[in-house]
Amino acid sequence: MPSTKTLPLVKDSERLESRLKEIPAVPGVYLMRDESDRILYIGKSKKLRNRVRSYFRESQNLSPRIAMMVQQVREIEFIATDTEAEALALEANLVKQHQPYFNVLLKDDKKYPYLCITWSEEYPRIFITRKRRAGSAKDRYYGPYVDTGALRSTLHLINRIFPLRQRPQPLFKDRPCLNYDIGRCVGVCQGLTSPEEYHKIIQKVAMIFQGRTQELLDILEPQMEEAAEDLNFETAARIRDQIKGLQSLSAGQKVSLPDDTVSRDAIALAADIQHACVQLFQIRAGQLVGRLGFMAEIPSQPPLANGGQELSQSLVKDGQELPQLSLSSSPWKGGVEAGAILQRVLEEHYQNVESVEIPSEISVQYELPEAEILADWLSNRKGRKVTILTPQRQTKAELIEMVERNAEYELARMQRLSDRNSQAMEDLAEILDLPEVPRRIEGYDISHIQGSDAVASRVVFIDGLPANQHYRHYKIKNPEIKSGHSDDFASLAEVIARRFRGLKEEERGKREDGFSDLEEQKELSNLSSDSPTISDKPDLIMIDGGKGQLSAVVAVLREMNLLEELRVVSLAKQREEIFLPGECLPLPTNSEQPGVQLLRRVRDEAHRFAVSFHRDRRSERMKRSRLDEIPGLGHHRQKQLLAHFRSIDYLRLASPEQLAEVSGIGPRLAAQIYDYFHP
């Protein structure tokens, strides 16, 4: 931090005017920073100077939220771009990277599933997932879909219409399975179809999820007629069945519009003071082909700088709060402009779709703050004009009302879930006599088979919901814990010590120096990869087990002088009994109480997470145990062999010539491997 304290730009007119003159009137992105150099807001504009200047005009009616942000701005940075489209893309990337508080941030809570097509693989797979991984750029994700049941039924029907790969691993080494014989698969496992031909099949499936079902039907019908004319009746019958299946898929749509010549998307939201539920309806050829859902968080209390108290007073006059004002006709939801939320969702969504999926018309519930930039960018991507409009009457307005009504239903459902979790946390706080509700709960469990492949898990629940990004696996490092000798008490003590080792160092630094700045915290967080989130101190630690497991954890926390800082309990499986440190008897609780049920969910999730990791380690060890005995066969070549033959059984049946076909396995090593399995 600089030695001299800089004033906010709104209170330093000379520096503000000088800075504004330096900003060019070109397209680009601007970044607002506070006195600690933290990014408050990232925005884009066709003319940077005009946009940034508008924040500091006295005549400009700003919302309380944006006014609060402007009062904290100490520095303004900008990045000039050649076009508005480049500014839009750059802004989206910067917002994802820095997550500024005053920007609209979409919430990825694994609530809605995606459909993934792995185009990066030689034979692509199609599956449903709730995690959008940043893997290969070739892989495509469609969604997120609100109606999970409809998505699964659609995929089930597609598997019946098209001959797709049915199994992740081949059932037999030298022949295809029954799916090939009945026409459900094209023999991918045995290479009976080329990758090029299989890609053509997957492209037809992708057209369905792109909303291009009618276009696919228009392609298939001439192919059926051509096959019939060539007397290839089997092919014609197969295409006929595909057409019937696709028609039945389209017939299940509940929405039909009279104008079937324009493809359009309709987007609307419903919001409370904390969350905004957004629904996007995809309408192609007059029919609803997809319903996507998004979540946006609306923080209730913005972070204040030193001048926050002055600002909060300035927003209240004569004992009355000033009315919330907007730069457009868009209302404010919890202090965030509804149009800005819709704009953020549309930018995020259309960045991840192919150009053919962009509709010609987008109907929005409220006016977008940057509608012109978004429309130009979408038009450039699509190669045709894309119109963004806010319908006020007739059929299109009724469509927006229907989308908004669905968003309200989804918001109400989310509120009920939130109320249930709040009730469970309050009940748990009452049971354990906690000073406040436990927002962050960490659960720990151990998994092994008589000491072999011993592992531990840490799961985290925030506000009663699983926070998968904070989950961790632990490999037990204690040399005394091995096959034939297990010790759950020592394993739990080791894991807890590793998890809170950084927290102990952080607390020590605070006691010695009186403070712990950001750089010290970063250094402490690098002490061990096992404790990556030392600043996120849990409100409650739940141990899977009884008094013995709890005593082992309490002992290590007492040794680390953290027992007073952390609240820990254990939950026994047999009778769902809760034990507290130093107590011989469990708490008098009912297993059906909301608080106990919350602990059970944490315990069951910790158990599942630990068991799955243990199975993976055990399976990997069993695969490699026999190959480790072959001289000259290292870890890399073992992976190549298993990737080629899929299992030890197939590897044992292979001939020396087949073994030598694997990359890195020469004739001499192939002979050694064959001799090992055939002594």
Side-chain angles (χ1 to χ4, degrees):
M1 293 179 61
S3 57
T4 58
K5 182 179 178 181
T6 59
L7 293 173
L9 289 177
V10 292
K11 296 182 179 180
D12 191 345
S13 58
E14 184 177 346
R15 192 164 65 92
L16 172 62
E17 191 61 31
S18 173
R19 188 63 180 134
L20 291 176
K21 289 180 180 179
E22 296 173 355
I23 301 176
V26 298
V29 174
Y30 56 92
L31 299 86
M32 307 281 199
R33 293 183 179 271
D34 64 5
E35 62 180 353
S36 61
D37 206 35
R38 178 183 55 180
I39 296 178
L40 297 172
Y41 184 77
I42 298 175
K44 62 183 176 298
S45 178
K46 293 168 60 176
K47 292 185 178 181
L48 283 172
R49 180 184 297 166
N50 296 354
R51 169 53 56 82
V52 175
R53 187 181 291 274
S54 68
Y55 287 98
F56 300 95
R57 291 195 185 111
E58 294 182 359
S59 60
Q60 187 69 64
N61 289 326
L62 300 175
S63 74
R65 180 182 176 87
I66 298 301
M68 181 176 292
M69 184 267 292
V70 172
Q71 292 287 337
Q72 300 181 51
V73 175
R74 257 68 170 183
E75 187 56 65
I76 303 172
E77 297 179 5
F78 66 89
I79 303 173
T81 60
D82 293 331
T83 64
E84 294 92 336
E86 291 179 0
L88 187 148
L90 178 59
E91 182 214 28
N93 292 333
L94 291 175
V95 169
K96 288 180 183 177
Q97 178 182 352
H98 297 287
Q99 300 278 300
Y101 183 88
F102 288 94
N103 282 88
V104 174
L105 302 176
L106 298 186
K107 181 182 179 183
D108 180 19
D109 60 350
K110 313 297 186 295
K111 182 178 179 64
Y112 304 123
Y114 293 86
L115 182 120
C116 178
I117 300 181
T118 57
W119 289 106
S120 59
E121 299 180 4
E122 188 177 28
Y123 292 96
R125 293 175 294 124
I126 304 176
F127 58 90
I128 296 173
T129 179
R130 293 184 184 269
K131 296 181 180 180
R132 186 167 188 156
R133 297 178 176 86
S136 173
K138 295 182 179 179
D139 294 344
R140 282 286 295 111
Y141 288 86
Y142 300 93
Y145 292 96
V146 177
D147 194 339
T148 308
L151 175 61
R152 294 188 184 279
S153 62
T154 299
L155 186 58
H156 177 72
L157 183 57
I158 287 173
N159 279 318
R160 295 178 63 89
I161 296 174
F162 297 99
L164 301 175
R165 174 182 182 176
Q166 301 291 329
R167 302 180 63 89
Q169 301 291 342
L171 188 60
F172 306 106
K173 177 175 172 55
D174 54 351
R175 61 186 176 88
C177 63
L178 184 62
N179 288 311
Y180 175 78
D181 297 324
I182 63 177
R184 291 284 184 87
C185 179
V186 288
V188 171
C189 62
Q190 302 301 322
L192 300 180
T193 185
S194 65
E196 293 76 15
E197 291 298 323
Y198 193 69
H199 271 240
K200 293 179 181 179
I201 299 174
I202 300 296
Q203 286 170 355
K204 295 177 181 178
V205 176
M207 291 177 70
I208 298 173
F209 292 99
Q210 293 168 356
R212 303 162 61 196
T213 306
Q214 186 58 47
E215 184 179 340
L216 179 57
L217 290 172
D218 295 340
I219 294 173
L220 292 177
E221 287 176 356
Q223 292 180 358
M224 179 185 67
E225 295 173 358
E226 182 181 354
E229 290 176 0
D230 295 340
L231 305 181
N232 192 350
F233 297 115
E234 291 185 1
T235 301
R238 185 176 68 253
I239 298 176
R240 177 203 62 198
D241 294 340
Q242 292 176 353
I243 292 174
K244 287 184 177 180
L246 292 173
Q247 289 173 341
S248 67
L249 188 63
S250 302
Q253 303 298 342
K254 298 180 176 61
V255 177
S256 182
L257 298 178
D259 184 7
D260 60 355
T261 60
V262 178
S263 63
R264 64 169 57 88
D265 285 353
I267 186 170
L269 63 81
D272 57 17
I273 60 174
Q274 292 182 329
H275 302 94
C277 288
V278 184
Q279 297 271 291
L280 189 147
F281 280 29
Q282 299 172 310
I283 297 156
R284 307 292 183 265
Q287 291 185 323
L288 175 65
V289 300
R291 181 164 71 102
L292 310 183
F294 304 87
M295 298 285 296
E297 281 193 347
I298 303 177
S300 57
Q301 186 176 0
L304 298 179
N306 294 336
Q309 186 175 0
E310 298 177 8
L311 174 64
S312 61
Q313 294 174 355
S314 67
L315 296 178
V316 179
K317 185 176 182 181
D318 298 332
Q320 295 182 352
E321 186 176 351
L322 295 178
Q324 294 182 346
L325 301 175
S326 170
L327 297 176
S328 69
S329 60
S330 173
W332 292 81
K333 304 291 185 181
V336 178
E337 190 180 359
I341 297 176
L342 297 180
Q343 171 110 13
R344 181 77 179 92
V345 169
L346 291 175
E347 291 173 357
E348 178 80 12
H349 171 64
Y350 291 123
Q351 276 188 341
N352 297 305
V353 304
E354 298 178 17
S355 58
V356 294
E357 300 176 52
I358 299 175
S360 302
E361 185 179 290
I362 302 172
S363 297
V364 298
Q365 181 186 18
Y366 302 111
E367 292 182 5
L368 307 183
E370 301 285 353
E372 187 178 348
I373 294 180
L374 180 60
D376 292 342
W377 175 65
L378 293 176
S379 299
N380 291 335
R381 283 202 61 199
K382 186 176 178 63
R384 294 175 55 190
K385 182 175 177 58
V386 176
T387 305
I388 300 176
L389 53 89
T390 308
Q392 302 295 332
R393 60 183 65 182
Q394 297 181 346
T395 306
K396 295 179 182 177
E398 294 174 357
L399 174 62
I400 289 294
E401 290 177 1
M402 182 186 67
V403 179
E404 181 181 4
R405 191 163 59 250
N406 280 270
E408 290 172 351
Y409 293 149
E410 189 65 20
L411 178 64
R413 188 165 71 91
M414 189 184 67
Q415 288 172 336
R416 288 194 297 269
L417 178 62
S418 178
D419 292 341
R420 188 191 73 175
N421 290 331
S422 298
Q423 181 184 0
M425 289 190 294
E426 291 174 1
D427 184 58
L428 184 58
E430 184 177 349
I431 292 173
L432 302 178
D433 194 22
L434 300 176
E436 55 186 22
V437 295
R439 291 196 64 251
R440 181 185 175 102
I441 304 175
E442 294 187 2
Y444 294 85
D445 191 19
I446 304 294
S447 181
H448 59 84
I449 294 181
Q450 295 182 349
S452 66
D453 303 304
V455 298
S457 68
R458 181 188 88 195
V459 300
V460 179
F461 276 51
I462 297 179
D463 291 334
L465 295 174
N468 305 69
Q469 68 272 23
H470 298 302
Y471 284 18
R472 292 293 183 272
H473 284 135
Y474 296 87
K475 297 178 182 177
I476 302 302
K477 299 179 180 180
N478 190 335
E480 295 182 1
I481 300 175
K482 53 189 176 182
S483 181
H485 182 269
S486 62
D487 191 338
D488 287 0
F489 303 159
S491 299
L492 281 169
E494 175 190 330
V495 170
I496 294 299
R498 286 162 56 181
R499 164 64 178 99
F500 296 106
R501 177 171 51 195
L503 182 61
K504 177 183 177 182
E505 297 295 331
E506 184 179 359
E507 293 295 333
R508 180 190 303 167
K510 288 181 180 179
R511 287 193 298 269
E512 293 176 355
D513 301 335
F515 68 94
S516 179
D517 63 18
L518 182 61
E519 292 302 322
E520 291 176 7
Q521 292 183 25
K522 289 181 179 179
E523 292 178 3
L524 289 171
S525 65
N526 293 327
L527 287 173
S528 171
S529 60
D530 296 320
S531 55
T533 55
I534 59 174
S535 298
D536 297 327
K537 186 164 63 174
D539 301 311
L540 180 65
I541 301 171
M542 193 282 307
I543 304 299
D544 185 4
K547 291 185 291 184
Q549 286 85 348
L550 179 62
S551 299
V553 171
V554 167
V556 71
L557 289 178
R558 181 180 291 112
E559 182 181 344
M560 300 172 70
N561 295 323
L562 292 176
L563 188 58
E564 299 298 325
E565 302 286 336
L566 302 171
R567 189 65 184 268
V568 57
V569 300
S570 68
L571 181 65
K573 287 188 178 70
Q574 188 172 6
R575 298 180 182 176
E576 308 296 355
E577 295 174 329
I578 301 176
F579 290 91
L580 297 179
E583 300 291 338
C584 297
L585 298 177
L587 291 176
T589 58
N590 183 350
S591 61
E592 300 304 317
Q593 281 184 254
V596 179
Q597 288 183 339
L598 175 58
L599 276 187
R600 287 168 60 183
R601 290 198 296 271
V602 177
R603 190 268 317 278
D604 293 343
E605 180 69 357
H607 180 72
R608 179 199 66 80
F609 199 51
V611 168
S612 63
F613 185 45
H614 167 73
R615 287 173 178 167
D616 292 341
R617 288 202 67 202
R618 188 181 71 226
S619 176
E620 189 70 16
R621 176 180 58 80
M622 293 177 67
K623 282 182 179 179
R624 302 192 184 284
S625 59
R626 299 193 66 185
L627 297 180
D628 286 336
E629 300 175 5
I630 303 175
L633 194 61
H635 178 74
H636 179 66
R637 288 175 175 174
Q638 290 179 18
K639 288 180 62 177
Q640 291 178 313
L641 283 170
L642 291 173
H644 184 82
F645 290 101
R646 304 292 184 183
S647 73
I648 294 291
D649 294 331
Y650 290 160
L651 180 61
R652 185 173 58 247
L653 297 175
S655 64
E657 292 76 15
Q658 292 173 322
L659 292 168
E661 293 176 359
V662 180
S663 176
I665 307 297
R668 180 180 300 177
L669 184 56
Q672 291 180 0
I673 297 171
Y674 183 83
D675 292 341
Y676 173 80
F677 287 109
H678 303 84

